[in-house]
Amino acid sequence: MKKRLLIFGAMISMGLGFNACSSDDPVDPNDDNPGQTPEVPETPAAPGALNLADYNNGSGIMMQAFYWDVEPRHQWWTTIDEKIAGWADAGVNRIWIPPASKGQSGGYSMGYDPSDYFDLGEYMQHGTLPTRFGTREELGDLINTAHANNIEVIADIVLNHNSGGGLEWNPYREKDTWTLFDEEHGNASGKFNRNYENFYPNSTSQYDDGSLFYEETNLDHNQEYVQNWLWKADYSVANYYKNEVGFDGWRFDYVLGFEPWVVKEWMDAVGGYAVAELWDGNPNVLEDYIEETGIAVFDFATFYKLDEALDRNDDLTILERHMVWQNYPEKAVTFTANHDTEKDPNEHNNISVENKMKAYAFILTHPGYPTIFYLDYENQNFQEDLKQLMLINNSLATGDVEILYVDNDEYVMKRSGDGTNPGLILYINNSSNTKRRNITTGWNNKKIMDYTYQTSYSPVTGDNGGVSIEAPGNSYSVYSIME
C-alpha cells in the first residue's frame, strides 16, 4: 500500500500524489536502473558531503548517564565525569543521573529507595558514607565538569515512596511501620525528619494514591510541612539541589504515585528543565499530563510503537499512529531504552538489540528531544553509528515531517528543512534484502548521499526531485543533498 502523510505539528493531511516503487528482490549494487527510474552510477559518498557542523539546528540530546546496578560501586560520579567532554563533542546538552541521595540499601542502592534526601554521600548511615555513586564532593566535581562543557545536569527525584526509617507504632494502621525518619533512623542529616503523621493515612488525610511501592511510607504532599521541605521553603530539597548542589532540572520518578499539581507547584517554586516518568503507552494520557503540568514526558507512546513495529508485529505501518512528538515536539522526550526497560532482557518492555539502531534512527531524525541510553552509547558496535545519527539530529533533522511511503517492511520519512537547511529523508528497511524506493524529494537536480554511511549509493535527483534511494537489509539510511 502506498501512503503519503504530511504532518505540521499536530496536523496530518493526505495530499499530492507521487510515484513510488521498489523491489522485494535483493538489489544488485551494479544495477544502475533498479525499479522504474534510471539512476546515476554509484559514487563514493564522502567527497562533496555537507559539513553538518554548519547546520546547527539547536536541538540537543540527553544522555541517560547510568544503567541498573552500575559498577564500580562508589566510583560512578568519577566514571562519568571522564566521559563528559566526549559526550559534549557528540552533541549532548543534558545528562540525566540517578537519584543522588542515600537510600535504604546504602552502598548498593540505586537511589530509588530514598531515605535521607540531604545525604548525597557525606553522612555515615546505612553502612556507608558514599552513595553507590560516590561522595558529595565527587558529585560536585561532576556537575562542575558538565557545566564547563555546556551540559546541564538533571536530578532524578523520587517524591513519594520513602524507605529506610525506623520502626514505630502507627495508630492509623494499627501496627508498627517503618515510618520514623530522624538522625538515628535513616535521616542522619537531621533535615526533613518524618514520622507516621507525614505518610498516608494520617490524622488529616486518608488519601490513597494507589502506589505500588512502599505504600506505608508514601508521603502526604497535601501537608504544609512536607511541601515546605520538598519545594516551598528556602531550605527545601528542591532549593538545596538547585542552588547549592548545582542541578539544572528534574526527572520526576513514578509520577503515578502523586498528583500532577505537586509537579506544577514544584516547578512554579524552583523552575528548571523537567521531564516526567509517566509509564503509559497511551499518547492521550501523556498529552493530558503535559497540559496539566506544563513539563515534558518520556514518550512511551513512541517507545512502544517502535517495539511493536520493529519487534512484536514486524509492521512499520504502526509508525503512522499517534505519538506524543506529533502534537508536542518540544515536550516529547523520545527514547529506545532506559534502566528499567533494559533491566531484564527476558521482559517484553525492550527493543531487541538487532533492531536498536533502527529505533535510534527513528528518534534521532524525527521531532522530539531524544535520549541516548548509556549502555547503548558504550556499545562499540553502536557508538560510531550513534555519533553520526546524533550529528544528524543536531543538524539536518529540522522542518515539517512528511511520510513519503510506508508498508510492512519500509518506512520513508522526509524532514522539509528550514531556510538554508536542506532537511533529510529517512529510509528504514525492516526486510532482510537491500531495497530501493522511488520518491519525490523536493531537491531538484541535486546529488544526494546517505549521511549515516550505511550505503554508498549516491544518486542525482531529477528536474522534479524524483530519485531512487537505498537502504540495506535490516538497516536504515538518511539522505540529504551534497554540496
Side-chain angles (χ1 to χ4, degrees), residues 76-98:
W76 193 246
W77 297 149
T78 57
T79 296
I80 61 176
D81 192 323
E82 297 171 356
K83 298 179 181 294
I84 292 291
W87 291 345
D89 289 343
V92 171
N93 69 335
R94 290 189 180 100
I95 61 171
W96 155 32
I97 66 174

Side-chain angles (χ1 to χ4, degrees), residues 48-306:
L50 298 175
N51 181 2
L52 298 190
D54 294 336
Y55 294 88
N56 188 342
N57 59 24
S59 294
I61 295 163
M62 183 157 65
M63 175 71 72
Q64 180 179 356
F66 66 100
Y67 57 94
W68 196 257
D69 288 343
V70 296
E71 295 288 350
R73 289 190 301 116
H74 309 311
Q75 298 178 42
W76 193 246
W77 297 149
T78 57
T79 296
I80 61 176
D81 192 323
E82 297 171 356
K83 298 179 181 294
I84 292 291
W87 291 345
D89 289 343
V92 171
N93 69 335
R94 290 189 180 100
I95 61 171
W96 155 32
I97 66 174
S101 62
K102 192 71 63 66
Q104 178 183 14
S105 303
Y108 294 91
S109 172
M110 282 299 294
Y112 293 99
D113 54 348
S115 181
D116 188 341
Y117 285 98
F118 290 88
D119 180 3
L120 306 183
E122 52 199 310
Y123 296 93
M124 185 66 191
Q125 61 179 328
H126 297 305
T128 181
L129 187 146
T131 65
R132 184 185 189 106
F133 315 112
T135 65
R136 165 73 175 83
E137 182 180 5
E138 290 164 344
L139 173 61
D141 290 342
L142 164 64
I143 292 173
N144 289 337
T145 299
H147 289 168
N149 284 275
N150 297 313
I151 290 178
E152 293 186 351
V153 183
I154 306 304
D156 203 323
I157 299 294
V158 184
L159 290 183
N160 51 339
H161 45 275
N162 289 186
S163 186
L167 198 63
E168 65 178 349
W169 175 254
N170 187 333
Y172 303 106
R173 291 189 178 269
E174 297 185 343
K175 65 176 183 178
D176 288 333
T177 55
W178 301 94
T179 47
L180 179 61
F181 292 80
D182 59 21
E183 291 87 337
E184 302 299 322
H185 304 91
N187 200 51
S189 69
K191 301 175 182 178
F192 193 20
N193 285 337
R194 289 144 278 163
N195 61 33
Y196 61 79
E197 275 289 358
N198 304 123
F199 303 97
Y200 297 115
N202 54 52
S203 61
T204 59
S205 178
Q206 301 297 309
Y207 173 75
D208 179 8
D209 63 14
S211 175
L212 299 175
F213 307 104
Y214 311 110
E215 64 177 12
E216 294 178 352
T217 50
N218 252 337
L219 284 168
D220 182 356
H221 301 95
N222 295 289
Q223 293 182 355
E224 190 77 11
Y225 177 81
V226 172
Q227 293 175 13
N228 283 338
W229 271 110
L230 286 180
W231 71 83
K232 274 188 175 180
D234 291 341
Y235 52 76
S236 69
V237 173
N239 279 304
Y240 177 65
Y241 281 30
K242 182 180 180 183
N243 300 327
E244 295 190 42
V245 182
F247 283 110
D248 304 287
W250 325 99
R251 181 264 186 187
F252 292 102
D253 179 67
Y254 188 60
V255 297
L256 291 171
F258 48 92
E259 295 169 301
W261 65 262
V262 172
V263 167
K264 192 170 189 316
E265 285 204 8
W266 177 295
M267 294 304 297
D268 288 344
V270 296
Y273 178 79
V275 56
E277 182 211 29
L278 176 54
W279 198 312
D280 196 311
N282 185 334
N284 296 312
V285 171
L286 296 168
E287 290 176 359
D288 286 346
Y289 194 85
I290 291 172
E291 293 170 0
E292 286 185 86
T293 64
I295 72 167
V297 299
F298 284 104
D299 191 351
F300 280 91
T302 295
F303 170 76
Y304 280 116
K305 286 177 177 60
L306 284 167

